[in-house]
Amino acid sequence: MEEFNSLMSIAEEIKNSGKKVTLLYAFNATGKTRLSMEFKELVNEVNDEGEIIKHVIYYNSFTEDLFYWDNDLDNNVDRKLKINTSSTFITLIEKLGKEAEIAKKFNELISPEGDSKIESRINTKTGEVNFNLATGDDKARENIKISKGEECIFIWSVFYVLIETIILELNVDDSVERSTDEFNDYKYIFIDDPISSLDDNHAIDIALDLKSLISTSRNEDLRFVISSHHALFYNVLHTEFDNANQYVLTNKDNKYILNKLTNRDSPFGYHLLVKDEIQRAILTNGIKRYHFNLMRNLLEKTAHFLGYDKWQDLIQEEDRKSYIKRINLYSHSDHDALEAKELQEHEKRFLKRIFEKFIIEYKWREVEHD
C-alpha cells in the first residue's frame, strides 16, 4: 500500500511501471476520470512549433459526452443521436471510413446471437446517427430512440473499432508499410468505465471481448490502462490478465491510497472495501448519494454469498417494503435530479441505520487488512 498526494503522482506510477496492461479499481467519485486526464497531460508532448504530439487516446465520460440526443419536442418522431464532429476522435473515424464496422460491432454486442433488429446508420459528415427497428414487414420503425444501455454500447462500439484499428496498424513494425500514419505516435490507450448503464451479462461480454482485443497487440511500445468502479467487470479482467499491474485506488484524508494486488488476491476484498468506504463516509459525515449504490451493492454481494435469492431478503425490518422502496429509490442511477440534490439529514440517518444494522445482523468481524 502506497500513499500519494496527487493523481498526477499516480499517473507517473502507472507510466513508470513498464507493464503492457494496468488495471485499476476505484469507487465512483475517487478520481478515475480525472486520473485519465492527468495521464493525458503527463504523456502528451509539445514540439518546437508548439504543436501537441498525442501519445494517448482515451475513453471516459468526456468521450460519452461527444454523443447526445436531438430531443426537439416538435420533432418527436425523428430522433437522432448527435455527434460532436469537431472531436479528433470522430475525425479519425471519418478518415478511416469505419462506419460499417461500427454498425456491425454494435449489433454483435447488443445481440451476440445475431438476432438484433436494430439498424444503425452513421453519418460523420452531418454528425448524426439514426437507429431503425426492423420488423420484417413494411412497418419498420425509423429514427427510434434506443435505450441508455444500447446507447452506451453504441458509443463503446465506436471506440472499440478505433482501438482495434490502432492495434492492427501498430502491429506492422515498419511504419512506412502502415496504411496510415495517424497512429504512429500513440503509446497508450486509457479506458475508464466503458460499461456504465449495462447489466452484468453485457459487462462480462465486454470485458472478455476487450481482453481478446488487447491480446492481439504485438507492439511492445503500446500499453493499456483500464479503470473501473464495476466490481464484476474488474474481476473478469483481473482473472484474464495474469501479468497485468493491478491496483485498488481509494482516498482518505486528502491522500490517494494505491493498493497493489496479486493474482492470488482474486476475488479481491471488495466487500471489505465497500464496507470501509461506507463506514468512513458515516464517521466523517461525508455521505453522498452514491453511497446508497454501494450499500445496495454490498447487500447484493452478501445475499449471493449467503445463498439468498435476492438482496431484499436481507432486510428484516417491520416496515420492510418501505425500506426496500427507499433503497431502490436512492440507489437508482436514472434519478438524475436526485443525484444533483444534496442529501437531507434524514436520508443520511437512514443509510447509517441500515448499514449499522447490517453489520450487527450479519456478524461482520472487525479486522485489520492491508
Side-chain angles (χ1 to χ4, degrees), residues 205-242:
D205 289 342
I206 287 178
L208 293 174
D209 201 29
L210 183 56
K211 163 54 165 66
S212 297
L213 176 60
I214 291 175
S215 297
T216 65
S217 174
R218 300 192 304 272
N219 188 312
E220 294 182 0
D221 295 327
L222 182 62
R223 299 173 187 171
F224 301 82
V225 183
I226 308 169
S227 59
S228 180
H229 76 283
H230 193 290
L232 179 58
F233 178 77
Y234 182 91
N235 267 328
V236 173
L237 294 175
H238 177 101
T239 302
E240 292 294 317
F241 285 107
D242 293 336

Side-chain angles (χ1 to χ4, degrees), residues 35-258:
L35 176 61
S36 67
M37 304 310 290
E38 294 280 3
F39 193 86
K40 178 192 75 169
E41 294 300 320
L42 175 66
V43 301
N44 283 351
E45 295 179 315
V46 179
N47 63 18
D48 295 336
E49 287 74 37
E51 300 171 325
I52 297 176
I53 303 173
K54 296 180 179 179
H55 291 310
V56 60
I57 187 166
Y58 59 87
Y59 179 101
N60 59 23
S61 59
F62 295 113
T63 310
E64 295 176 352
D65 289 343
L66 297 174
F67 300 79
Y68 57 96
W69 284 98
D70 179 1
N71 285 321
D72 183 354
L73 296 179
D74 296 328
N75 190 23
N76 196 42
V77 297
D78 189 21
R79 295 293 182 91
K80 302 180 184 70
L81 186 64
K82 306 285 283 185
I83 310 173
N84 183 347
T85 54
S86 64
S87 165
T88 303
F89 182 75
I90 302 303
T91 303
L92 284 173
I93 292 296
E94 182 179 1
K95 281 184 179 180
L96 297 167
K98 295 290 182 176
E99 291 87 348
E101 290 181 38
I102 292 168
K104 180 181 177 182
K105 188 63 187 178
F106 172 62
N107 279 1
E108 288 176 359
L109 289 175
I110 61 172
S111 180
E113 296 81 12
D115 56 356
S116 170
K117 293 181 172 56
I118 299 177
E119 300 171 346
S120 58
R121 295 199 306 270
I122 308 162
N123 190 328
T124 52
K125 294 185 183 300
T126 63
E128 296 179 347
V129 185
N130 299 90
F131 298 93
N132 300 331
L133 184 64
T135 58
D137 52 31
D138 295 333
K139 298 179 180 180
R141 294 173 56 197
E142 296 186 345
N143 300 330
I144 64 170
K145 185 173 184 178
I146 58 177
S147 70
K148 185 63 178 177
E150 290 164 340
E151 179 187 340
C152 175
I153 292 174
F154 176 80
I155 296 171
W156 171 245
S157 299
V158 176
F159 188 79
Y160 180 98
V161 168
L162 181 56
I163 62 175
E164 181 180 45
T165 305
I166 292 172
I167 289 172
L168 288 172
E169 289 294 332
L170 295 185
N171 277 348
V172 179
D173 293 330
D174 189 345
S175 60
V176 177
E177 296 182 3
R178 295 170 185 164
S179 63
T180 177
D181 60 2
E182 293 281 355
F183 311 124
N184 288 353
D185 293 322
Y186 283 123
K187 297 178 181 179
Y188 300 93
I189 295 175
F190 198 122
I191 302 167
D192 174 45
D193 268 338
I195 50 136
S196 58
S197 304
L198 297 186
D199 59 32
D200 284 353
N201 287 333
H202 279 110
I204 293 171
D205 289 342
I206 287 178
L208 293 174
D209 201 29
L210 183 56
K211 163 54 165 66
S212 297
L213 176 60
I214 291 175
S215 297
T216 65
S217 174
R218 300 192 304 272
N219 188 312
E220 294 182 0
D221 295 327
L222 182 62
R223 299 173 187 171
F224 301 82
V225 183
I226 308 169
S227 59
S228 180
H229 76 283
H230 193 290
L232 179 58
F233 178 77
Y234 182 91
N235 267 328
V236 173
L237 294 175
H238 177 101
T239 302
E240 292 294 317
F241 285 107
D242 293 336
N243 297 317
N245 260 351
Q246 307 193 29
Y247 301 101
V248 174
L249 175 65
T250 56
N251 53 27
K252 182 180 180 182
D253 301 329
N254 296 319
K255 298 281 188 180
Y256 293 98
I257 302 167
L258 203 59

Side-chain angles (χ1 to χ4, degrees), residues 8-27:
M8 179 58 80
S9 298
I10 293 176
E12 291 171 348
E13 174 78 9
I14 294 172
K15 178 178 180 291
N16 295 334
S17 72
K19 281 286 190 176
K20 179 76 172 178
V21 179
T22 296
L23 304 179
L24 183 77
Y25 180 85
F27 296 124

Side-chain angles (χ1 to χ4, degrees), residues 322-367:
S322 174
Y323 264 64
I324 292 171
K325 183 177 180 180
R326 289 171 71 185
I327 294 171
N328 278 329
L329 175 65
Y330 295 151
S331 64
H332 202 294
S333 60
D334 289 341
H335 286 270
D336 294 333
L338 281 177
E339 187 65 37
K341 288 175 59 179
E342 185 69 24
L343 282 176
Q344 301 295 311
E345 286 304 316
H346 71 87
E347 295 173 312
K348 295 179 181 179
R349 288 195 299 270
F350 176 68
L351 179 67
K352 183 174 184 289
R353 178 177 176 180
I354 59 176
F355 174 76
E356 290 179 347
K357 192 162 186 179
F358 169 80
I359 295 296
I360 294 170
E361 290 189 350
Y362 295 97
K363 298 179 176 62
W364 283 82
R365 182 168 60 91
E366 295 299 325
V367 295

